[in-house]
Amino acid sequence: MSRGEVVQALSGLMLGMFVAILASTVVSNALPRIIADLDGSQSVYTWIVTTELLAMTATVPLWGKLADLYNKKLLIQISLLLFVAGSLIAGFTPDVGVLIVSRVVQGIGAGGMTALATIVLAAIIPPREMGRYSGMFGAVFGVATIAGPLIGGVMVDTSWLGWRWCFFIGVPFSVAAIALLQKTLHLPSVRRPGVKIDWLGAFLITAGVSTLLIWSTLAGQHFDWASGATAAFVAGGVVLLALAVWVESRAEEPIIPLGIFRNRTVTLTIIASVLVGVAMFGGTVFLSQYFQVALGKSPTVAGLMSLPMIFGLLVSSVVAGALITKTGKWKIYLVAGAIVMTIGMLLLSTIGATTSVLVISVHMAVLGIGVGMLMQNLVLAAQNDVPAAELGAATSTLTFFRSMGGAIGVSALGAVLASKVTSGFAEKLGGAAAGGGAAEVPDVSALPPQVLDIVKDIYGTATAELFLIAAPIAALAVVAVLFIKEKPLSNLSGDERRAQEEAAATGIPLH
């Protein structure tokens, strides 16, 4: 593919990537209205977010393995069609039960899109040229993650749209991405007759991960972290994953080839990705609530306040990518990104109910700059260091662990926030004075002034403590990337490397 054809194909991939990631975050500001309109409970509030994240995280390894065996273009179009189906069901949903099912379908499609977009990128672009393009993808990922609440807030606050458009908005973009990919993406078909998918391994991985994620979602809210239910969930998840490892070690075509963990670069980038997921998603997902409750902003304004983080992430991701392509050096950006991300977390741990918008904006921009330098370039480092035949598995494994880290971070830090808020209400308002403490987010517009100031202070303090907890987790990512060995970036695309490796294995020279 020529450079012009690559750019055209990337436009379709980035469009699909944007709507897939957007689906995870666009409902955050709309959830209170959705729950109220559909007569849902507080427990449903959590599940509308986590079911989509669960489905996306658990199916990523399977999509990655399919990409190593079958036509990537067809797979990515199938994932977009699944996303469209889930979005339409969600938009027309009559009740919360159907909505939760639709979010699972959306999550499966989004899991395919997020994994396959990066895999296709590696197939058509050499690692030496990848910097500028992966920087663009990192920017799209970050912008979609952070812009979702803004778009959702605007939908809710616009009378002639409403919350159902939080789901409908992705449909035309997904259809456009399918058509654009059909016209512009040209990949050789991978034909490997007789190959069988390790469905047992896929089931065990999905079941084990889902069990642990469900536990981290429910613990601290529906039962104590130290309880019999926790022991049952953790033991069940660990047993299922142990069985998965046993099955994968004996499978002819494992979903996650265990051999890739022998690669030092892959292992360290996976560790760093988990830590980035825990710190970034776990910390930032609650900022929207902080803006609305502690600072008293509307959903739309709360979304606009995330723009400094978007801008910092966008600029650093693109600039770092361009510099990597120009110089061929990439480790310095991983280290610098992890350090800056940690500094951003520490700065945000100082916020409160009286912190000025300007100060918060600067702190968020610092965090965005760090994440932009780090997140997508971890994928580049791993892709550059594995055989072409394992590109799909390595990329999807990295994405899988980052998503899992995000899910665990959101669940665990969400439980910490709920605990801090509940204890704050109990200490300052006698617990019941604010409508049940953590069980319900208070309507700040309906509170008397003397209570309002106390509620704002409780939420401001609790949110700051989340970033204080996330900061040392981010610091561990610095340690992980320091031990990654920098290797020269290859000048061959994934497809060219695959052809070269097959020629070397068969002894037939390339022409």
Side-chain angles (χ1 to χ4, degrees):
M1 295 172 66
S2 67
R3 176 166 292 186
E5 288 174 327
V6 167
V7 170
Q8 286 182 324
L10 289 187
S11 62
L13 287 175
M14 286 192 287
L15 191 59
M17 180 85 146
F18 181 79
V19 294
I21 299 300
L22 193 69
S24 303
T25 58
V26 74
V27 297
S28 59
N29 276 337
L31 273 176
R33 188 73 54 83
I34 294 172
I35 295 300
D37 286 357
L38 298 179
D39 298 321
S41 65
Q42 181 64 28
S43 60
V44 171
Y45 189 106
T46 302
W47 280 105
I48 291 174
V49 176
T50 53
T51 47
E52 197 264 354
L53 195 55
L54 275 169
M56 183 170 76
T57 302
T59 56
V60 159
L62 181 57
W63 283 110
K65 189 60 189 178
L66 290 170
D68 282 335
L69 303 178
Y70 301 110
N71 187 289
K72 299 178 185 69
K73 177 176 175 178
L74 177 61
L75 288 171
I76 208 165
Q77 289 174 315
I78 289 171
S79 71
L80 282 168
L81 284 172
L82 282 170
F83 180 79
V84 167
S87 299
L88 288 173
I89 296 169
F92 288 112
T93 184
D95 55 54
V96 290
V98 174
L99 180 58
I100 289 174
V101 172
S102 71
R103 293 290 283 172
V104 173
V105 178
Q106 269 192 316
I108 294 171
M113 186 65 225
T114 51
L116 292 165
T118 315
I119 292 166
V120 170
L121 188 67
I124 61 178
I125 299 170
R128 186 65 174 82
E129 294 291 320
M130 185 80 81
R132 65 162 67 95
Y133 299 110
S134 63
M136 292 161 60
F137 265 75
V140 168
F141 185 92
V143 169
T145 299
I146 301 167
L150 168 60
I151 295 171
V154 171
M155 295 291 178
V156 172
D157 286 343
T158 305
S159 59
W160 50 275
L161 288 174
W163 62 262
R164 292 183 185 272
W165 276 93
C166 290
F167 303 109
F168 289 144
I169 190 174
V171 174
F173 292 104
S174 299
V175 172
I178 291 170
L180 203 55
L181 289 167
Q182 181 61 34
K183 182 180 179 182
T184 62
L185 185 60
H186 309 295
L187 293 171
S189 294
V190 178
R191 299 187 181 278
R192 295 174 66 183
V195 170
K196 296 180 179 179
I197 296 291
D198 176 24
W199 294 110
L200 178 57
F203 167 77
L204 290 170
I205 291 169
T206 303
V209 169
S210 296
T211 301
L212 292 177
L213 290 181
I214 290 169
W215 161 69
S216 67
T217 301
L218 299 178
Q221 298 180 51
H222 296 273
F223 50 80
D224 292 334
W225 286 97
S227 64
T230 286
F233 271 106
V234 172
V238 169
V239 168
L240 286 168
L241 290 177
L243 286 172
V245 170
W246 183 78
V247 169
E248 292 289 271
S249 67
R250 286 158 175 75
E252 185 178 343
E253 289 286 348
I255 299 297
I256 300 178
L258 300 181
I260 66 173
F261 292 99
R262 299 191 193 102
N263 184 307
R264 172 175 158 179
T265 300
V266 172
T267 301
L268 288 171
T269 53
I270 285 172
I271 292 170
S273 292
V274 171
L275 296 168
V276 170
V278 171
M280 189 188 81
F281 289 104
T284 58
V285 79
F286 300 104
L287 278 174
S288 178
Q289 182 174 272
Y290 163 76
F291 295 147
Q292 293 182 60
V293 179
L295 302 184
K297 306 298 183 183
S298 71
T300 301
V301 173
L304 288 170
M305 288 182 69
S306 65
L307 289 177
M309 190 183 296
I310 296 175
F311 184 73
L313 192 150
L314 184 66
V315 171
S316 69
S317 181
V318 172
V319 170
L323 289 173
I324 288 171
T325 297
K326 182 178 180 180
T327 64
K329 303 294 183 183
W330 49 266
K331 182 175 177 177
I332 182 64
Y333 301 102
L334 295 184
V335 176
I339 292 171
V340 173
M341 181 179 73
T342 305
I343 293 171
M345 292 287 181
L346 288 170
L347 290 173
L348 284 167
S349 71
T350 65
I351 62 176
T354 58
T355 308
S356 72
V357 172
L358 177 61
V359 171
I360 296 170
S361 298
V362 172
H363 295 350
M364 291 174 66
V366 172
L367 179 60
I369 290 169
V371 172
M373 283 193 285
L374 178 63
M375 193 163 59
Q376 197 63 23
N377 291 322
L378 286 170
V379 180
L380 170 64
Q383 289 176 335
N384 184 59
D385 206 30
V386 296
E390 293 182 0
L391 266 176
T395 305
S396 62
T397 301
L398 206 65
T399 307
F400 165 72
F401 278 102
R402 183 175 63 203
S403 296
M404 190 168 71
I408 292 170
V410 169
S411 302
L413 293 182
V416 171
L417 179 68
S419 174
K420 296 290 183 185
V421 169
T422 302
S423 60
F425 279 136
E427 179 185 340
K428 297 182 179 181
L429 295 171
E440 295 179 10
V441 177
D443 181 359
V444 292
S445 64
L447 295 175
Q450 64 273 24
V451 176
L452 177 60
D453 289 340
I454 295 173
V455 170
K456 285 184 173 183
D457 181 64
I458 289 170
Y459 272 89
T461 303
T463 306
E465 289 192 32
L466 292 189
F467 287 102
L468 193 60
I469 294 169
I473 298 172
L476 290 174
V478 179
V479 178
V481 297
L482 278 172
F483 284 96
I484 296 175
K485 184 178 180 181
E486 183 161 22
K487 297 184 179 180
L489 295 173
S490 171
N491 287 308
L492 301 176
S493 71
D495 284 340
E496 291 168 338
R497 285 160 62 194
R498 182 190 285 267
Q500 190 179 73
E501 289 164 10
E502 288 176 352
T506 59
I508 301 173
L510 283 171
H511 298 288

